[in-house]
Amino acid sequence: MRYTQDESYYLLDVGEEAVVYLGLKEGVYPEQMISELKEAQISGKFDVEKHIGKYPVKKHDHILIPAGTIHCSGKNSMVLEISATPFIFTFKLWDWGRVGLDGKPRPINIGHGEQVIQWDRTESWVTKELIHPVTLIREEEGIREERTGLHLQEFIETRRHWFTVPVLHTTDGSVNVLNLVEGREVIVESPEGLFEPFIVHYAETFIVPASVESYIIRPYGASKGKECATIKAYVRHHA
């Protein structure tokens, strides 16, 4: 396939000491790390923090994961994964010591994974490029639109809208995939009456086809008059 597994983690909620694992530590030796991963399939032990970057996260952080970046979500977090594909291209390198029904470590993909790891994605690059980059796009009465990613190496764009009033969205030739990341419920409507209005609840994902062209999202029910937020993913236009 011509595209790779570009993705990201959006932190819907976190508990104490929530972290993500992302990229490599400085000075990691590829041969040594791969050797230790293979040994872990026998011993069941691998020193993750010796090799992999570990970063604290908070609610509404957005962590970018361009293809080839080692990654794993950590404990005490509810992650919305925004991904180019749901399962095809992620190669598991370490299974945290878990075993199958036979009591042996479950089969994983070190052979495939070692061929696609980007070894230059170490802490200095990761902290600058991948940890919660936010750019304000526009701000008006009751609406704030932010660009939250994804990395320029990725082909998906994501935008977050904070709003207390109706927001007009345009699909601009791409399917739009959205999730309600703040607020109890919103309603999605078509200005042209192309579809029946539908209600979306917190943490639910919904899809708007490119053919719809424009749609409105506004706080509804228990969220009326309160601030809500959606995150929207769509395919970038390349010149």
Side-chain angles (χ1 to χ4, degrees):
M1 292 191 184
R2 291 174 297 168
Y3 59 90
T4 51
Q5 176 69 327
D6 289 326
E7 59 183 281
S8 70
Y9 291 153
Y10 189 90
L11 277 300
L12 280 173
D13 207 353
V14 298
E16 290 185 9
E17 300 179 356
V19 298
V20 296
Y21 297 89
L22 192 66
L24 297 149
K25 290 284 185 71
E26 304 292 346
V28 165
Y29 292 100
E31 298 83 0
Q32 180 187 4
M33 188 178 111
I34 295 300
S35 173
E36 291 184 24
L37 283 166
K38 289 176 179 175
E39 176 62 30
Q41 275 300 90
I42 301 165
S43 70
K45 296 177 181 177
F46 178 69
D47 189 350
V48 174
E49 293 183 32
K50 171 183 170 184
H51 299 285
I52 311 302
K54 179 181 175 183
Y55 303 91
V57 287
K58 60 186 185 301
K59 186 174 181 176
H60 292 302
D61 276 357
H62 200 179
I63 307 301
L64 313 187
I65 312 170
T69 309
I70 285 182
H71 60 281
C72 183
S73 55
K75 66 177 182 178
N76 299 337
S77 60
M78 181 166 71
V79 171
L80 170 66
E81 185 174 310
I82 301 169
S83 178
T85 64
F87 64 92
I88 300 174
F89 297 129
T90 293
F91 300 125
K92 190 181 288 294
L93 301 167
W94 164 238
D95 205 14
W96 300 93
R98 289 177 290 203
V99 295
L101 294 175
D102 59 2
K104 298 176 183 176
R106 300 189 297 184
I108 52 177
N109 311 106
I110 298 169
H112 289 308
E114 67 179 316
Q115 297 177 48
V116 296
I117 295 169
Q118 300 296 305
W119 295 99
D120 58 346
R121 293 186 186 163
T122 56
E123 291 160 300
S124 55
W125 189 83
V126 166
T127 52
K128 180 172 162 238
E129 300 281 340
L130 304 184
I131 306 290
H132 195 56
V134 175
T135 306
L136 181 64
I137 300 295
R138 70 184 174 107
E139 189 166 18
E140 55 192 68
E141 187 66 36
I143 300 172
R144 188 167 82 255
E145 180 182 356
E146 299 166 327
R147 182 180 181 277
T148 63
L150 269 57
H151 195 267
L152 293 175
Q153 295 187 11
E154 306 184 72
F155 67 86
I156 299 169
E157 179 78 0
T158 51
R159 296 287 176 89
R160 180 171 59 197
H161 290 78
W162 299 93
F163 56 99
T164 55
V165 299
V167 180
L168 177 65
H169 291 257
T170 55
T171 56
D172 198 23
S174 169
V175 61
N176 285 192
V177 182
L178 302 95
N179 189 287
L180 182 62
V181 297
E182 186 70 40
R184 288 283 298 277
E185 54 188 343
V186 296
I187 192 164
V188 186
E189 301 166 309
S190 166
E192 291 82 26
L194 296 178
F195 57 82
E196 289 292 317
F198 61 93
I199 297 166
V200 176
H201 301 93
Y202 174 69
E204 288 183 341
T205 297
F206 58 104
I207 298 171
V208 180
S211 60
V212 166
E213 295 186 356
S214 65
Y215 56 101
I216 292 168
I217 303 176
R218 61 181 172 85
Y220 183 78
S223 293
K224 209 166 183 179
K226 298 178 181 177
E227 187 172 56
C228 298
T230 56
I231 190 157
K232 172 171 67 173
Y234 56 95
V235 177
R236 283 194 182 119
H237 292 288
H238 289 287

